[in-house]
Amino acid sequence: MAETKFDLIILGGGPAGYNAAERAAHGGLKTLVCEERALGGVCLNEGCIPTKTLLYSAKIYDYANHGDKYGVTVEGAKIDHAKVVDRKDKVVKTLVSGVGAKMKGAGVTVANGTAKILGKVAGGFAVECAGVTYEAAKLLICTGSEAIVPPIPGLREAYEAGFVVTNREILDLRTLPKKFVVIGGGVIGLEMASYFNSVGCEVTVIEMLDKIAGPTEKEISSNLEKNYAKKGVKFILGAKVSAVNGKPGSMGVVEYEKDGKTEKVECDLVLVSTGRRARTKGIGLEELGVQMNRGAIVTDETCATSVPGVWAAGDVNGKVMLAHTGYREGEAAVNNMLGKKDRVDYRSIPSVIYTNPEVASVGETLESAQKAGIDAEETTLSLRYSGRYLAENEGGDGFVKIVYGKQHHEILGVHMIGSYASEIIYGAAAMVARCQRVEDVQKIVFPHPTVCEVIREAMFTVH
């Protein structure tokens, strides 16, 4: 008979859940993870990893097509999208298997099925999964998020028919569209626009706001838009989609309203990428009385909920919907369960857009700092001050922007657009987390020649 008594039950085996499970097991907690699909969650199966696999293939294809700028000519370069998808599947399968091996190695029990909280019992909580009732003294809810399909006329019908897709379905697409429309100019929409533009599709992005990339610093957002407009991506900003009509295998239309006029775009595939919402319905939260806010579970900096013994980590708390946030939140929750005081520093969580050029940022923008009442200034320096950037980016126009406190010169934020930004930003996150001053970074020795040394050079423009 299967064991049903645990110290900790985790609902969801995504980044927050599986990482927390390993930490908890190593900390001595007998741990159960309930996962209805595959271990790894959205990030590993239909988000971070598969999209990066596609984008890397697109980058190689771009190099082949534009190598003449660097004295390299490649004739007859082709991309086989079906093979790209096959490789994506291989990468995902390998990593999912790796997560399973980690769970087994740590002694974590995994139950496959949809989990539902039944309520409180003597000494803890009861959870049902795949017809079995389990009990534990502690709960960690990591049920993640799901794509929003907004109530646009015709959209739901087009989605059910397959003419409209979300981030989940688009990654399994084996044939390329001719004309591709993205509804929403956020991170997911831009990364997919980047891929499909690189592989030869006609791409249009429709965004309600007057800028792309959501909260990304305005000048960087503008630079990214300019770079992709040069590559042929069409951006329709300040526009509201009013209707979608189409079916697979033929051209349909997306109608939108802009400046008081109704216009339309013809296409044969639509990606709806208008945001994500916490997955909290149907998991039994009403049995606990957990405090909610706009569909997400309310947590503090330790990831504790309003109910003692219950924590929530990852997208389900709606704070910062990024996989690495979930990793850290799960760790903080487990540490507090084990009696180790821990908190998540949400100020220093970096974010990345894996387009080409890459965008990466951490901390405050000048605008957000001023809104918070912080007396701040900023300095900007072109990445062309880096010899390596200049050598590897013909015609590149990337830059780094540093936001700092006016009085004490503490580093409040770092924002970059350009090559290697995703790999560089962790160092900037450490600067923000440690409240380092401009003068402190000036004394750090950066390797040369690298792109990251522009961050140090930018510090010397502060007076």
Side-chain angles (χ1 to χ4, degrees):
M1 185 175 177
E3 180 62 58
T4 60
K5 303 284 188 179
F6 292 87
D7 298 318
L8 169 65
I9 295 175
I10 301 176
L11 278 69
Y18 75 71
N19 188 57
E22 184 182 20
R23 300 289 190 270
H26 287 315
L29 297 179
K30 188 177 180 182
T31 303
L32 168 72
V33 172
C34 300
E35 172 54 53
E36 65 180 6
R37 294 170 66 87
L39 286 171
V42 169
C43 173
L44 182 45
N45 293 281
E46 55 200 52
C48 320
I49 301 302
T51 55
K52 303 314 164 281
T53 308
L54 265 63
L55 287 168
Y56 187 71
S57 291
K59 184 180 288 188
I60 293 174
Y61 187 51
D62 280 338
Y63 287 156
N65 284 326
H66 304 292
D68 58 309
K69 295 179 181 178
Y70 305 90
V72 179
T73 300
V74 178
E75 295 182 359
K78 296 180 181 179
I79 190 162
D80 186 329
H81 178 68
K83 286 186 177 179
V84 172
V85 173
D86 286 340
R87 180 172 182 271
K88 178 267 297 183
D89 290 341
K90 181 181 71 172
V91 170
V92 170
K93 184 178 179 180
T94 299
L95 292 174
V96 169
S97 176
V99 173
K102 288 182 74 173
M103 295 300 92
K104 185 176 181 180
V108 174
T109 300
V110 177
N112 294 112
T114 302
K116 185 172 183 180
I117 300 166
L118 301 179
K120 298 178 182 179
V121 295
F125 309 91
V127 173
E128 188 273 331
C129 182
V132 180
T133 299
Y134 301 93
E135 293 182 8
K138 300 176 177 64
L139 287 183
L140 176 57
I141 302 170
C142 305
T143 48
S145 63
E146 59 190 357
I148 295 171
V149 179
I152 297 169
L155 184 63
R156 173 61 64 175
E157 293 81 359
Y159 173 64
E160 292 174 352
F163 178 72
V164 172
V165 295
T166 67
N167 67 291
R168 173 180 291 178
E169 298 86 15
I170 198 167
L171 294 169
D172 291 326
L173 192 73
R174 302 191 71 82
T175 57
L176 292 171
K178 293 180 180 179
K179 296 184 177 182
F180 179 52
V181 168
V182 179
I183 302 176
V187 174
I188 296 171
L190 291 173
E191 290 184 353
M192 288 296 92
S194 175
Y195 175 79
F196 284 96
N197 168 255
S198 290
V199 299
C201 303
E202 185 178 315
V203 179
T204 301
V205 177
I206 304 175
E207 167 59 47
M208 285 187 66
L209 301 177
D210 61 359
K211 63 185 285 291
I212 62 171
T216 300
E217 198 277 335
K218 286 184 177 180
E219 192 176 350
I220 285 181
S221 170
S222 177
N223 182 278
L224 183 63
E225 180 189 342
K226 182 181 70 175
N227 270 277
Y228 269 86
K230 285 181 180 178
K231 295 179 180 182
V233 176
K234 182 180 180 181
F235 292 97
I236 302 173
L237 306 181
K240 180 181 179 181
V241 175
S242 54
V244 176
N245 185 15
K247 57 184 179 180
S250 61
M251 286 291 170
V253 295
V254 175
E255 294 184 1
Y256 63 92
E257 298 173 359
K258 179 177 172 64
D259 299 329
K261 298 179 181 179
T262 299
E263 306 283 351
K264 62 184 179 181
V265 180
E266 190 180 60
C267 60
D268 54 338
L269 185 71
V270 177
L271 169 66
V272 59
S273 182
T274 52
R276 301 184 66 82
R277 62 184 168 211
R279 292 189 65 217
T280 54
K281 290 184 179 180
I283 63 172
L285 291 177
E286 63 278 3
E287 302 297 330
L288 299 179
V290 171
Q291 184 182 351
M292 309 285 289
N293 181 33
R294 301 182 66 169
I297 298 175
V298 174
T299 58
D300 61 17
E301 292 180 329
T302 70
C303 296
T305 72
S306 60
V307 176
V310 180
W311 286 260
D315 288 5
V316 75
N317 65 27
K319 288 191 173 182
V320 184
M321 289 186 172
L322 297 170
H324 46 275
T325 306
Y327 283 137
R328 182 68 190 102
E329 288 176 332
E331 290 171 349
V334 168
N335 283 337
N336 282 286
M337 292 177 200
L338 295 172
K340 305 173 185 176
K341 290 185 179 181
D342 196 2
R343 55 179 287 277
V344 180
D345 180 7
Y346 289 101
R347 298 176 309 112
S348 59
I349 294 176
S351 62
V352 178
I353 306 175
Y354 294 86
T355 44
N356 184 16
E358 292 181 345
V359 171
S361 61
V362 63
E364 305 282 356
T365 64
L366 182 61
E367 183 180 15
S368 68
Q370 291 174 340
K371 282 184 178 179
I374 302 171
D375 190 10
E377 291 188 343
E378 66 180 13
T379 187
T380 302
L381 191 65
S382 169
L383 295 190
R384 292 174 67 82
Y385 277 83
S386 158
R388 183 176 184 185
Y389 180 82
L390 203 60
E392 296 182 0
N393 293 272
E394 184 68 25
D397 59 357
F399 61 89
V400 61
K401 181 170 288 194
I402 313 292
V403 181
Y404 58 93
K406 189 173 182 180
Q407 183 176 358
H408 302 293
H409 286 186
E410 72 277 18
I411 298 166
L412 302 170
V414 178
H415 309 271
M416 298 182 66
I417 181 167
S419 54
Y420 308 109
S422 62
E423 298 291 345
I424 294 169
I425 200 64
Y426 87 94
M431 296 172 193
V432 173
R434 295 176 180 178
C435 298
Q436 288 186 304
R437 301 172 304 150
V438 168
E439 292 81 0
D440 298 326
V441 180
Q442 288 175 344
K443 296 173 184 176
I444 296 174
V445 178
F446 284 62
H448 175 80
T450 56
V451 177
C452 68
E453 62 186 326
V454 175
I455 291 178
R456 182 174 183 268
E457 290 301 315
M459 301 297 171
F460 285 96
T461 66
V462 176
H463 302 289

